[in-house]
Structures are given as C-alpha cells and as structure tokens.
Amino acid sequence: MTRPLLSRRALLLGASAAGLAGMAWAQSPSPAELAQALAGTPATRLPPATGKRQVIIDTDPGQDDAIALLMAMAATDRLDIKALTVSVGNLPLAVTEKNARMVRDWANRPEIPVYAGYPRPLVREPIFADDVHGKTGMEGPTLHEPRGPLMPTHAVQYIIETLRAAPPKSITLVGLGPLTNFAAALNSAPDIKPAIAEIVVMDGSWGVGGNITPAATFNVYADPEAASIVFRSGVPVTVMSHDAARRVLLTPERIAPFRAMRNNAGRVVADIFDSMMAYGLRRRGVAVGPIYDPCVIAYLLKPELFKGAKVSVDVETKGEFTTGATVVDFRGYNRRTPNTLWISEADSEGFYALLQAQIARLP
C-alpha cells in the first residue's frame, strides 16, 4: 500500500510542532518550580520590626487571648498599648471584659484602660467557645475579682475618637477576637482610616481548614460580616492564619519552662497551658494542640519568625456550608490588588523562646 504524500505545508507544521515540543521538554520546570507555579504567590520571610508601635488591642479573653495579652503587656520597649477594647466572642461580653481586666492585674499594668464594646455580632446571634475555654473563659489558673475599673466609654467610640486625633499611619489595630468593634468603627467613621498603620488579626485559614466548621475559623465565623468589612476597608491587613499558628504546637515539654519560672505570670501561663492540654486530650486524644493569639503578638515583636505573602482575601458571608471561610487568592484569579499580608509559616522554636523571654519579664 502506497503512503500518501505530505504537502510542504504539512511537513512545515509537523516540524514546527516537533520543534516546539522539543523546546518545551528542554525547558521543563523542576519539581520545585512546578510546585511553586501551581501554588502561586510564594511565602517569604518577613523583615525585622523597627521602632515602637502604638497599638489598640481588641480581645475576647479566652485562654490564648490571656497569654497574648501578657506577652504584649511585657513588651514595654516595643509596644505602647493605648487601650484594650473588648468584644463578645469566646464568652459573653460581661465575662470577656472582666477577664481583660484580670489579665491586666496579672501583668501589673493598671494604667492600660479597658473599654467594653459590642455585646453581639453585627447581624447574627452570638456563638461562644465555653466548651474550649471553660465557663469563666480562664480555665486553669486561680482567678480573682479585677482591681481596676472598666472605662465608661463604649469601645467603638474610644477607637473613633483616638484615631481621629492620631497622626497618619500611627496606630496599629490588633484583633485577637471577632472583628465586630473594628468593623463598627470603620463603618461609622471611615475618616479614621488614614490614622491606621495596619490591622493585624488572628483570623482565617487556607490549607488547614477551620476550627469551628470544616471551612471557617472561630473569629471569622463568629462575625463574618465584620470580618468582610475589615478586609474590604482598604486599610492594610495582616492575617496570622491558622496555617501558621498550627505549626506552633504546644506539648507538655513546652510547658515546663513556664512552670519553672519564679514569677506569678509564669505560673498563670503554665496553668492555662495545662488546661489546654487537658482539652486537647479530651478533644483529640493527644496532649498537644495549637496556640493561636500569642502568634499575633509574636509577629508584632519579631516578624522574622514568620513567612507570608501579599494576596487578595475575601470572607464568605452567604454560603450554606462555607460561611466564615476566608477565600485566599494565591494565584491572582480575581485580578484584584492584594489587600492582605497572609502569614502562613512560623518558626515554632523561635516563637516559644520569645514567649518565654516575655513572660519572664512580668511579676
């Protein structure tokens, strides 16, 4: 059987295709390059911090909040804490504001004012995490009646008035709980945005799933509308994600140095850690677990312990199964300018060394 003759055009096209295939093969990416191309924007190590930050810390204590607050209040050389503002979150507001004042006593920082904010999310019914933190929110250490008073001004009013009087980009807002108070302030007074240097939050996950639903982390799920307002505000947002925090695992061995400290703060932290380990044993069957909010303070003090990438982030507010999910666009699908520094990796050993050094400075 005679084979058909190929035209000159067919021969040229065939040669071109073969040539292109050869070139593609010659330029094939390495496995690492291919993995990075598929993953999108790479996480890079963050630069060291410079200077001293003025911060307003919004919190809903909560065991890990308490440790984060102690860590922050010890850092008098790095953080000028203007106030603690308190929201509903882990427990009702009447509990969280009392706990914030109690932690202030443990750190012996009576000069830091505490303001209570919203007693419920912006549009939803509140949810609580007393199954994790106990009915007091402070399962573990010996508790006492707070010595200092609660300020009479509403937290959102305080935030607005303080930022209106502040120079441009001079104050960092730090969110350790649901973002209700920050969102309410931004909605009510958008003119405060120029004074905000950065909003740093413990919120969201991308690769490790949620801790309240399969898709959502507690702080976002508790008030997804508030989180959406903050992420879409146009103010620079930094997220300490659960992807990073779950690399900073607490183990019984890591509690021992705090128990050995000769100060009250060390004992308080050890008692809280023991309670967290007991919860991990009940919940997961192993005495190990992540530590969340203190990672935010570690970022403020020593950002070089972390890696992150600037990406676009949205919050799902209407999903049947995904309400509260953080939608992180590492590959630029939405073609929007990145609105978030998403921290995804952490130096666990460096974190615990920093935490120990800070807690050792307290009474």
Side-chain angles (χ1 to χ4, degrees):
M1 178 172 146
T2 305
R3 300 174 69 183
L5 295 174
L6 296 176
S7 68
R8 181 173 181 273
R9 182 170 182 275
L11 286 169
L12 287 173
L13 287 172
S16 298
L20 287 172
M23 288 175 62
W25 178 261
Q27 297 174 6
S28 292
S30 68
E33 290 171 330
L34 179 59
Q36 184 56 67
L38 293 174
T41 308
T44 58
R45 189 163 301 282
L46 304 180
T50 58
K52 186 175 183 177
R53 288 184 187 246
Q54 295 186 78
V55 299
I56 297 172
I57 302 178
D58 195 78
T59 181
D60 63 333
Q63 293 166 312
D64 56 333
D65 298 72
I67 296 171
L69 293 175
L70 289 172
M71 190 179 186
M73 287 189 275
T76 52
D77 55 332
R78 303 298 303 278
L79 300 178
D80 176 9
I81 302 174
K82 309 296 290 184
L84 305 181
T85 57
V86 187
S87 70
V88 65
N90 286 317
L91 281 301
L93 184 64
V95 178
T96 57
E97 64 85 359
K98 179 179 178 180
N99 288 347
R101 291 184 290 133
M102 190 186 315
V103 176
R104 178 179 61 180
D105 292 346
W106 286 335
N108 194 26
R109 295 292 306 275
E111 77 282 4
I112 299 174
V114 177
Y115 297 85
Y118 270 72
R120 54 170 296 140
L122 293 180
V123 299
R124 298 174 187 257
E125 292 300 316
I127 61 169
F128 304 119
D130 51 339
D131 59 321
V132 179
H133 301 275
K135 295 296 182 182
T136 66
M138 291 290 184
E139 195 78 15
T142 301
L143 307 183
H144 67 275
E145 282 299 314
R147 292 190 289 273
L150 184 69
M151 300 299 288
T153 305
H154 192 283
V156 173
Q157 181 183 344
Y158 165 78
I159 292 168
I160 291 171
E161 291 175 353
T162 302
L163 290 175
R164 279 179 172 165
K169 297 188 180 301
S170 62
I171 295 182
T172 297
L173 301 182
V174 182
L176 302 181
L179 298 176
T180 310
N181 289 333
F182 288 167
L186 290 165
N187 251 6
S188 300
D191 59 294
I192 66 177
K193 294 179 184 180
I196 303 172
E198 182 182 12
I199 302 177
V200 185
V201 299
M202 166 46 67
D203 272 319
S205 71
W206 182 71
V208 299
N211 69 339
I212 185 70
T213 75
T217 58
F218 179 86
N219 285 347
V220 185
Y221 187 77
D223 198 341
E225 285 77 17
S228 180
I229 288 169
V230 169
F231 280 99
R232 295 186 176 194
S233 67
V235 175
V237 176
T238 295
V239 169
M240 179 60 65
S241 74
H242 283 220
D243 304 271
R246 292 192 196 180
R247 294 171 182 257
V248 183
L249 291 177
L250 178 65
T251 63
E253 293 76 19
R254 283 179 165 152
I255 301 173
F258 297 95
R259 182 69 65 194
M261 291 181 186
R262 297 182 179 275
N263 59 349
N264 182 62
R267 289 190 295 273
V268 166
V269 170
D271 288 343
I272 291 174
F273 279 163
D274 281 343
S275 176
M276 292 171 70
M277 287 293 88
Y279 172 79
L281 194 60
R282 295 193 305 271
R283 180 77 170 81
R284 293 177 287 269
V286 290
V288 66
I291 178 168
Y292 294 116
D293 293 334
C295 291
V296 174
I297 307 305
Y299 160 76
L300 296 174
L301 302 181
K302 203 168 183 179
E304 63 268 29
L305 294 175
F306 302 94
K307 290 184 179 181
K310 290 187 176 180
V311 293
S312 174
V313 178
D314 286 301
V315 176
E316 178 58 67
T317 60
K318 299 177 181 178
E320 180 179 358
F321 303 108
T322 58
T323 295
T326 39
V327 182
V328 187
D329 185 8
F330 283 101
R331 302 178 190 171
Y333 289 128
N334 63 24
R335 301 185 183 280
R336 291 204 297 269
T337 301
N339 61 349
T340 302
L341 173 59
W342 183 269
I343 299 176
S344 57
E345 299 183 34
D347 175 350
S348 181
E349 295 301 324
F351 166 81
Y352 278 102
L354 177 63
L355 179 59
Q356 288 177 37
Q358 293 304 118
I359 299 302
R361 300 176 69 178
L362 292 171

